[in-house]
Structures are given as C-alpha cells and as structure tokens.
Amino acid sequence: FPNRIATEQQSVALVKRLLAISVSCITYMRGLFPESSYGTRYLDDLCLKILREDKSCLGSLQIVKWLQGCFDALQRQYTCFLFSPLVLNLQTVTELYQFKFKYKKEAPQMDISSNRMNFVNWVCSEDIKEASRLLIRKLYLLLQNLGPLPNDVTLTMKLLYYNDVTPKDYQPPGFKEDGSPGDLFFDGEPVNLRVGSVSTGFHLMKVRVTTEKKRMGTVECNLMQKNGLTEISHQGLDCDEEEEGNTKISCLNLAFSQEEVIGPKKKRKVSEPEKLLLEGRK
C-alpha cells in the first residue's frame, strides 16, 4: 500500500488494488480455483492470496482478464457498481458480492491561510491505510465463517455505469453488452451484509456480501445490518439506499437503480463478460 494518497492516480491505483485483493480473497476463500492460481503477499500480519494468470487454470485467466476490464472502467470513472454473483444454472444466485464506486468531482483541497495549513475534505493517508486493512480483514473473517457452497456454482460479473458520463458504445476489455433478461433469482433466504468502505478523498469504494441465511454459521453479529436480515431487492441493491424493515423480494434486476428518491426508475447500462468461466470450482 502506498505511504500517501496525494493524487488521483495514486487513489485509483489503490482502489484497483483493493478490488483485486477482494476478488482474490473471494475466489480463494470460496474454493473456486486451485492453490497454483494464487501468489502470496503480506499486509502486516495478514497473509493475502492474490489471483494470478495461471495457464493451467483457464478460469483464473478469465477472472484476471475481467479485472483488467474493470480497471479500465474505473480509470475512466464510468463504472458505479460491480456485481459478482455466484450462480447456479446461470440464472439462480446463491451468493452475491457488490462493489460500489463513487468519484469526487473536486480534488481534496488544502487551505494555507493564517500561516497554517487547514485541511479541507482531506483524508489522512494513515486513515486510508487503516480503513483498507479493516475492509480486507472483515472480508476474510466473513468468508472464513460462511458455510460451504454447492459444488456446481459459477462466478460471473456485471458492470453498471454512470449513464451521464459513459459513452453508449463503451465496453471495457473482456466485456460486452448485457444480453441476459436482467432478473437473477436468489436461491433460499438471502442476508445482506455490509463489509466496509474506503474513502481516499478522490474515490469511495463500498463492499457488501449477500448470502443464504443458512450459510451464516458463526459470522459476527456486527457485520449484519442494523435493520436485521434484509433480502435483496429488485431495484439493484443501491448501497446508499436503506430500506426500513425487511424486504421480502428475492428477485434482482441489475438494470435498474434506486439512487433517485423521486422520479421513475432509471435504467442503467450493464455489461457482462464476453465469455463465462470454462470451469467451476476446483
């Protein structure tokens, strides 16, 4: 991790790294690929398994390619959501990983008046590093305590965009226009968990996990939402929209967002991988 985040480029590099670590953590802890598909890195006392291009595992090669496409959309500040569902029969979701991205329109400013520096909207680099550590630790803790997955699951990705800045014909490398019906149905009773967020002053990244209630095991209660067990909604699980009480809908439509409190539903541009994974779990 960089010692300081002073520029937008340093910030986007950190967000890309956090996304790569998180996806690597998910695929490793959920047993999707063999040990040979991972390298080892350390963050303080935390051992990280990082996905790499393993020519003996076509699935890991495809995930790395998808991540590179995500990086392109992040660099251009087009993408707002990355949904990474584990699906059964290409339609039924059994576990869902959500990454939300926001971009600051103005860079953090420093006021040097009165013979002293007054930080305005500035995030301390040490705070960023600590938030990053906490996010990764909580994700590892959560995945360590989740029950096993079915054997026939497949990982895929969906990218959603900010329509006002994204060209209609834009597709990141490795992705194409989403041709699916849009609705993904959750298998069983889903529980939505907020893992954490990291803000650099230039970017904001939030992470959530949705899994089956029966898979919760010994997960710490403080990872759960204050409102209790919340099932996924058909509007697309906007991370900023908190529903009162429990939502009893288990259908997810990725094309729509509920960011606007007032007004009609706004259909979002959605991308999916050009190719699905050629193999499932290890």
Side-chain angles (χ1 to χ4, degrees):
F1 281 81
N3 292 325
R4 61 194 297 263
I5 303 294
T7 68
E8 185 176 315
Q9 285 304 311
Q10 290 173 335
S11 176
V12 74
L14 174 64
V15 173
K16 290 177 182 178
R17 195 167 300 178
L18 283 173
L19 178 60
I21 292 172
S22 299
V23 172
S24 297
C25 171
I26 292 164
T27 60
Y28 184 80
M29 298 300 293
R30 302 313 270 151
L32 297 185
F33 304 121
E35 188 76 28
S36 61
S37 297
Y38 299 89
T40 301
R41 297 289 186 274
Y42 289 91
L43 177 60
D44 297 333
D45 60 339
L46 185 62
C47 178
L48 305 176
K49 294 294 184 177
I50 307 299
L51 197 63
R52 62 186 180 186
E53 293 180 300
D54 178 10
K55 293 183 180 180
S56 66
C57 178
L58 295 179
S60 68
L61 286 174
Q62 288 186 3
I63 293 290
V64 171
K65 183 178 180 181
W66 295 353
L67 281 173
Q68 291 169 346
C70 296
F71 292 166
D72 184 84
L74 277 170
Q75 185 75 45
R76 298 172 187 268
Q77 298 191 359
Y78 289 165
T79 189
C80 58
F81 281 109
L82 166 61
F83 289 92
S84 190
L86 287 164
V87 296
L88 301 164
N89 304 319
L90 303 180
Q91 186 74 21
T92 303
V93 179
T94 189
E95 207 156 88
L96 177 67
Y97 301 92
Q98 310 161 57
F99 301 87
K100 182 174 183 178
F101 306 98
K102 285 190 174 184
Y103 313 95
K104 303 293 185 181
K105 294 182 180 180
E106 296 182 0
Q109 300 293 321
M110 285 190 300
D111 183 5
I112 321 179
S113 61
S114 302
N115 296 322
R116 66 175 183 176
M117 288 193 298
N118 180 28
F119 290 88
V120 181
N121 297 325
W122 190 270
V123 183
C124 174
S125 295
E126 192 57 40
D127 290 341
I128 298 172
K129 190 172 183 179
E130 184 58 34
S132 302
R133 289 194 199 102
L134 182 60
L135 174 67
I136 296 168
R137 287 181 184 277
K138 288 178 70 176
L139 185 59
Y140 265 86
L141 174 65
L142 172 61
L143 297 177
Q144 283 173 350
N145 287 278
L146 288 180
L149 291 167
N151 290 324
D152 55 344
V153 296
T154 302
L155 180 70
T156 186
M157 287 185 182
K158 302 277 187 178
L159 280 172
L160 280 72
Y161 303 91
Y162 289 107
N163 288 348
D164 56 340
V165 296
T166 306
K168 291 183 178 180
D169 60 350
Y170 171 76
Q171 294 296 337
F175 286 81
K176 63 180 181 179
E177 184 177 354
D178 184 35
S180 63
D183 290 339
L184 296 174
F185 294 91
F186 211 100
D187 185 46
E189 183 179 359
V191 177
N192 193 20
L193 306 170
R194 287 182 290 186
V195 179
S197 64
V198 175
S199 176
T200 67
F202 296 93
H203 298 84
L204 173 66
M205 173 176 144
K206 294 183 179 181
V207 182
R208 286 192 178 190
V209 176
T210 306
T211 189
E212 286 189 63
K213 182 179 179 181
K214 66 180 182 181
R215 211 173 284 143
M216 289 293 291
T218 58
V219 173
E220 295 290 337
C221 293
N222 60 6
L223 285 177
M224 298 184 63
Q225 291 190 25
K226 294 179 181 178
N227 289 336
L229 304 182
T230 304
E231 298 187 9
I232 62 177
S233 67
H234 66 293
Q235 279 87 7
L237 285 175
D238 191 307
C239 291
D240 281 346
E241 294 296 326
E242 297 295 342
E243 300 283 346
E244 290 187 8
N246 296 345
T247 306
K248 295 300 180 183
I249 301 174
S250 57
C251 170
L252 172 63
N253 190 314
L254 296 177
F256 293 96
S257 169
Q258 203 180 15
E259 280 194 336
E260 295 79 19
V261 178
I262 301 176
K265 291 181 182 177
K266 183 178 180 181
K267 188 171 183 179
R268 288 199 177 277
K269 174 183 173 69
V270 183
S271 296
E272 65 178 359
E274 291 178 339
K275 295 181 180 180
L276 293 177
L277 289 182
L278 300 179
E279 54 190 88
R281 305 180 68 192
K282 63 185 180 181

